[in-house]
């Protein structure tokens, strides 16, 4: 779920009363009175209709009770119905939005800590370095292998422990290391870590972190090597520059002193990072840019330059499931030409660098880049895309099957709600016909693929056709006496009285055909998009 959709889920009560999220108390009261006149059960004699009216009247009363209460409305606007059910105590101690946020965040953190304390969190990296020249020379294709594994556990509210190890093999040589870290939360803004490692890099150390301000934090560490007794002191400072970027400074004093300045920026469709490091043994800079092409694929380019490196890395990756991502990278530099394959599965990684050649030949370098690129786009077009289309359709059908009972119940409730709107909606429609005003001819809400088939009758309607609901009647009801209709921005249309969600978890659109002033119009909007009728740009 996107951030916009997540926010819209906290506005369904506004859709129910058909008011804007910025509506005043008076506008909310007026909307409540209008809906109460339609759905008040005392106005009906038929037992079945009386039952329908009672159910919808209760929904209207609940919406009004929440939106007319200043504190409840603030909580609902921020965290939705979950916030109201989280046990927040309303009163003078919680009379600001910031205080409400802080209190609910505290409750959420408490629940997350309880979950963490009951589960281990494993992570690990397997690295297998392959060499084509070595294989061609008859010395085997594997140059080196290493495996790193770590398990973290929250042992109490303020204490956590992680234990891990590393195994590394290169040629006929091997080494191993084991490490442990104990972390204690001193307060809400500070923590301390005690670490120890034996084997490949034996050391003991301590590190403390503190939140200096809302946008800045600092870390200081002290470590001593168990091999030669040398001591290293590290300090780092991080500062948030904006909502999407931050900067850092790191200072290390010891056997290999250095200072580094870094910068990172991360937005919805791109990420960039850069660092310059000056040390006693090397000087260098690295920059990385990542571009997200869709929710499943991305491209990346990385450059390194320094006293010991000159390298360019180009590649991309694709998400193949909810938890797995594959990535392929091409690297060319003074150390040679490489391919790198990566598989990410949750917190586990498999990294396979493939060394192709130490000598940089223009023709070979171009071929090493074009061969996997051409192969990828060929497979993407002929294999991957058709496969994912079939899988997405199958998943949509499975989701529809799983939610069939829920959707049928929601559609039945929407149809009942429409029955009580019918008399007023027909009266409004007839009045608009008399004055040549706004009349909704046809309106459907649901899966965009199904809606598209309305305008293309030659397209065969399949099983997905049930993922649509007719909302002509409730839209005619919502037309004002002045001949206008407005659906507010940022509010899910499934919450409107007489609507329902015909395809839970899927993208939805609203398609409307209407007449105004003797002319025909057509409009199609996204679920969260504002709709204002009539508009000349909708004219057919």
């Amino acid at each position: 779920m996107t951030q916009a959709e997540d926010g819209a889920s906290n506005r369904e009560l506004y859709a129910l009363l058909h008011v804007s999220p910025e509506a005043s108390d008076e506008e909310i009261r007026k909307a409540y009175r209008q809906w109460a006149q339609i759905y008040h059960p005392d106005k009906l004699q038929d037992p079945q209709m009386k039952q329908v009216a009672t159910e919808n009247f209760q929904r209207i009363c609940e919406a009004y009770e929440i939106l007319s209460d200043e504190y409840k409305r603030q909580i609902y606007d921020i965290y939705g119905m979950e916030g109201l059910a989280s046990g927040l105590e309303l009163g003078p101690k919680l009379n600001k939005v910031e205080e409400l946020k802080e209190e609910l965040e505290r409750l959420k953190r408490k629940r997350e800590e309880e979950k963490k304390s009951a589960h281990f969190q494993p992570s690990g990296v397997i690295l297998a370095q392959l060499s084509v020249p070595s294989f061609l020379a008859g010395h085997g294709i594997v140059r080196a292998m290493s495996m790193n594994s770590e398990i973290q556990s929250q042992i109490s509210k303020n204490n956590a422990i992680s234990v891990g190890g590393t195994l590394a093999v290169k040629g006929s040589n091997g080494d191993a290391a084991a490490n442990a870290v104990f972390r204690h939360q001193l307060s809400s803004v500070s923590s301390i870590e005690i670490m120890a490692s034996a084997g490949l890099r034996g050391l003991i150390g301590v590190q403390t972190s503190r939140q200096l301000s809302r946008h800045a934090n600092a870390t200081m560490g002290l470590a001593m090597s168990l091999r030669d007794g040398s001591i290293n002191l590290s300090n780092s400072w991080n500062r948030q520059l904006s909502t999407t970027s931050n900067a850092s400074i790191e200072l290390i004093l010891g056997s290999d002193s250095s200072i580094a300045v870094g910068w990172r920026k991360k937005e919805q469709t791109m990420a960039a990072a850069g660092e310059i490091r000056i040390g006693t043994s090397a000087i260098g800079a690295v920059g990385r840019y990542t571009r997200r092409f869709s929710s499943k694929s991305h491209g990346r380019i990385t450059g390194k330059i320094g006293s010991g490196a000159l390298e360019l890395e180009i590649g991309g990756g694709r998400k193949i499931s909810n938890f797995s991502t594959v990535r392929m990278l091409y690297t060319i530099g003074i150390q040679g030409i490489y391919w790198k394959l990566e598989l990410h599965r949750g917190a586990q990684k498999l990294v396979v660098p493939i060394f192709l050649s130490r000598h940089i030949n223009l023709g070979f370098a171009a071929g090493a880049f074009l061969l996997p690129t051409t192969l990828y786009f060929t497979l993407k077009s002929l294999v991957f895309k058709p496969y994912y289309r079939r899988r997405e359709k199958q998943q949509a059908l499975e989701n529809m099957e799983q939610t069939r009972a829920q959707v049928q119940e929601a559609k039945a409730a929407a149809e009942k709600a429409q029955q009580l709107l019918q008399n007023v909606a027909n009266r409004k429609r007839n009045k608009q016909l008399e004055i040549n005003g706004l009349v909704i001819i046809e309106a459907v809400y649901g899966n965009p693929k199904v809606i598209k088939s309305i305008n293309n009758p030659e397209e065969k309607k399949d099983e997905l056709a049930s993922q649509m609901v007719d909302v002509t009647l409730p839209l005619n009801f919502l037309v004002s006496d002045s001949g206008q209709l407005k659906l507010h921005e940022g509010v899910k249309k499934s919450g409107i009285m007489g609507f329902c969600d015909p395809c839970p978890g899927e993208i939805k659109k609203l398609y409307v055909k209407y007449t105004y002033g003797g002319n025909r119009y057509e409009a199609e909007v996204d679920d969260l998009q504002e709709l204002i009728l009539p508009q000349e740009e909708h004219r057919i």
Side-chain angles (χ1 to χ4, degrees), residues 336-493:
I337 302 173
Y338 288 82
W339 285 339
K340 185 189 290 184
L341 305 176
E342 296 182 4
L343 171 62
H344 298 242
R345 173 72 178 176
Q348 310 294 326
K349 296 180 184 179
L350 172 63
V351 183
V352 184
I354 304 174
F355 177 62
L356 301 177
S357 174
R358 187 170 299 278
H359 306 287
I360 301 177
N361 177 279
L362 184 61
F364 183 82
F369 174 74
L370 293 175
L371 178 63
T373 304
T374 304
L375 180 62
Y376 168 74
F377 283 107
T378 301
L379 291 175
K380 179 181 178 182
S381 177
L382 300 179
V383 180
F384 297 146
K385 274 193 173 181
Y387 168 74
Y388 283 118
R389 286 197 190 103
R390 289 195 301 269
R391 193 176 75 168
E392 286 175 358
K393 183 176 180 180
Q394 183 63 31
Q395 288 176 341
L397 292 173
E398 290 176 358
N399 180 61
M400 185 180 68
E401 186 64 31
Q402 292 172 358
T403 60
R404 186 183 299 275
Q406 174 189 344
V407 170
Q408 289 177 345
E409 184 179 342
K411 281 188 173 182
E415 289 174 0
K416 291 177 180 178
Q418 288 187 20
Q419 291 177 12
L420 294 175
L421 299 177
Q422 189 168 2
N423 291 336
V424 178
N426 289 339
R427 188 164 61 247
K428 285 188 173 185
R429 186 176 187 275
N430 293 334
K431 180 180 178 181
Q432 292 296 320
L433 281 172
E434 291 175 2
I435 62 175
N436 219 9
L438 175 61
V439 177
I440 309 298
I441 300 174
E442 181 182 15
V444 290
Y445 172 70
N447 191 313
K449 295 178 182 178
V450 182
I451 292 175
K452 184 180 177 182
S453 67
I454 294 175
N455 296 324
N456 298 277
E458 67 277 5
E459 291 188 10
K460 183 180 178 181
K461 296 183 180 181
D462 56 12
E463 297 89 341
L464 296 178
S466 62
Q467 297 188 322
M468 182 178 68
V469 59
D470 189 318
V471 292
T472 307
L473 191 145
L475 288 189
N476 273 312
F477 174 85
L478 294 175
V479 173
S480 66
D481 294 337
S482 60
Q484 291 184 332
L485 172 65
K486 180 178 181 180
L487 303 183
H488 302 287
E489 183 178 4
V491 178
K492 284 185 177 181
K493 295 173 179 58

Side-chain angles (χ1 to χ4, degrees), residues 32-40 43 57:
Y32 167 71
R33 288 195 295 267
Q34 290 175 342
W35 286 110
Q37 290 177 358
I38 301 294
Y39 286 102
H40 201 291
K43 292 180 172 288
F57 185 69

Side-chain angles (χ1 to χ4, degrees), residues 275-308:
E275 183 184 81
I276 298 175
R277 183 176 293 274
I278 301 174
T280 55
S281 59
I283 299 175
V286 60
R288 175 177 294 172
Y289 177 81
T290 302
R291 182 74 180 182
R292 186 170 295 278
F293 303 119
S294 68
S295 60
K296 294 183 178 180
S297 62
H298 66 273
R300 191 175 79 182
I301 181 170
T302 304
K304 297 179 183 179
I305 186 172
S307 55

